[in-house]
Amino acid sequence: MRAISQDTYGTPDVLEEVRLPRPVPGPSQILVAVRAAGVNPTDWKHREGGLFLDRLPLVLGWDVSGTVEAVGFGVTLFKPGDEVFGMLPYPYGLGSHAEYVSGPARAFAHKPAGIDHIQAGALPLAALTAYQALVDTAGVRAGQRVLVHAAAGGVGHLAVQIAKARGAYVIGTASGAKHDFVRSLGADEVIDYRSVDFAEAVQDIDVVLDPLSGDTRARSLGVLRPGGILVSLLPGTDPGEADRAAELGVRVESLLVEADHAGMEAIADLVEAGSLRAHIEAAFPLAEAAKAHALGETGRTTGKIVLVVEPQDV
């Protein structure tokens, strides 16, 4: 099978198309013929320096949308020919930037019939991150005030939609050029982080979702009401954060996304209800993975980038 691999860490040009053996699904696993796979910031961070992974060569990719090719012993949820989407176990279960990938059956759900593989391939990691942060961790409910940083980004634009679907009042931060886009997602307010200090513009927030960390994380504590929660997607570095959070009567959690069958089912339900849709910034053929990484690293994209795997005769 074709796959995008790297023998060393570095810039996007370390990525190359290679031929590898097709995986064989083990017990409780399925083999998926990949049709589309999202590219996320974690992909280029791992490509550049390994991050959680210290093994080479490396085939990246956690997002998957495709067709079940075969099932291992014990699998009852899916049959060959089923269209599925899901996130491979993060961080060690990667490898979707290839024609085929195997993974635990319960990391997947049936792909909603109303979206194509490009849409479905863009959703899993980013949507699961947003869902696990807002629903599983923060318990967002109707009437709460939710602040989503980087609201036009991969996780952020899905988080806005998930929070709105739960009846929250949603405030997003984004550059001025992306305000119309964020409002189109359902945001009630949008703050231009380049010209406005959000810490002075908002208050009495119940939930903050912060994919940025650093100074944004520190200043976000001050906008929470007592009992509020900040969910960060990056580890904190401020040794005094816990003391400040305790003084303010708020909670801070750092979340690392997990493979999650129930979460994928919930995401599929939101998609089918018309409440959740990924915005696709660009879609590249598998062979142009380096171009996808280079675009993502500009930091100026809106929504998601996807690799498309077209079936080829062997």
Side-chain angles (χ1 to χ4, degrees):
M1 68 172 187
R2 295 178 298 137
I4 300 300
S5 183
Q6 61 184 95
D7 294 322
T8 186
Y9 300 119
T11 59
D13 59 12
V14 303
L15 300 173
E16 59 179 351
E17 186 176 304
V18 300
R19 287 274 176 176
L20 296 175
R22 183 184 301 186
V24 176
S28 300
Q29 291 188 326
I30 59 175
L31 176 68
V32 179
V34 181
R35 293 295 306 278
V39 181
N40 298 284
T42 190
D43 289 295
W44 53 79
K45 290 176 183 177
H46 277 91
R47 184 215 72 227
E48 186 175 47
L51 201 57
F52 296 114
L53 304 170
D54 58 1
R55 66 177 188 261
L56 290 169
L58 191 60
V59 177
L60 292 167
W62 286 268
D63 284 335
V64 186
S65 182
T67 303
V68 176
E69 187 81 3
V71 301
F73 174 75
V75 174
T76 61
L77 295 181
F78 306 109
K79 303 297 182 187
D82 287 349
E83 292 189 322
V84 296
F85 75 142
M87 187 194 80
L88 300 173
Y90 185 87
Y92 303 111
L94 73 173
S96 68
H97 294 172
E99 287 186 295
Y100 295 89
V101 71
S102 61
R106 289 184 179 273
F108 294 86
H110 288 282
K111 180 183 76 66
I115 60 173
D116 61 19
H117 285 291
I118 294 176
Q119 265 285 319
L123 283 168
L125 188 149
L128 274 179
T129 299
Y131 190 88
Q132 290 172 6
L134 295 175
V135 180
D136 295 343
T137 303
V140 169
R141 58 187 184 273
Q144 288 191 315
R145 289 166 57 83
V146 176
L147 173 63
V148 177
H149 288 299
V155 172
H157 87 290
L158 300 173
V160 169
Q161 296 173 70
I162 290 171
K164 286 304 299 180
R166 295 184 69 82
Y169 183 93
V170 180
I171 304 166
T173 65
S175 63
K178 297 181 180 180
H179 281 202
D180 286 345
F181 169 70
V182 177
R183 288 192 184 93
S184 76
L185 303 172
D188 299 283
E189 295 180 37
V190 190
I191 296 170
D192 186 347
Y193 67 88
R194 292 176 175 171
S195 61
V196 176
D197 182 355
F198 75 86
E200 296 180 356
V202 298
Q203 58 184 350
D204 294 328
I205 298 296
D206 295 287
V207 180
V208 175
L209 177 58
D210 176 24
L212 304 172
S213 201
D215 177 63
T216 302
R217 173 169 169 156
R219 292 188 297 127
S220 291
L221 288 178
V223 307
L224 287 167
R225 68 176 61 191
I229 178 173
L230 184 154
V231 185
S232 174
L233 306 184
L234 294 171
T237 57
D238 180 0
E241 179 181 79
D243 290 340
R244 184 168 180 237
E247 290 173 3
L248 294 170
V250 302
R251 187 173 142 217
V252 179
E253 298 286 355
S254 294
L255 180 135
L256 192 65
V257 66
E258 300 178 65
D260 181 1
H261 172 70
M264 287 306 306
E265 290 282 338
I267 289 162
D269 288 344
L270 287 168
V271 171
E272 290 173 339
S275 300
L276 185 66
R277 183 174 179 84
H279 174 81
I280 309 300
E281 170 78 17
F284 293 88
L286 180 66
E288 296 182 7
K291 291 183 179 178
H293 278 234
L295 176 60
E297 285 183 304
T298 65
R300 297 192 295 269
T301 57
T302 299
K304 291 297 301 294
I305 300 169
V306 180
L307 294 179
V308 181
V309 184
E310 295 293 345
Q312 292 191 353
D313 294 333
V314 178

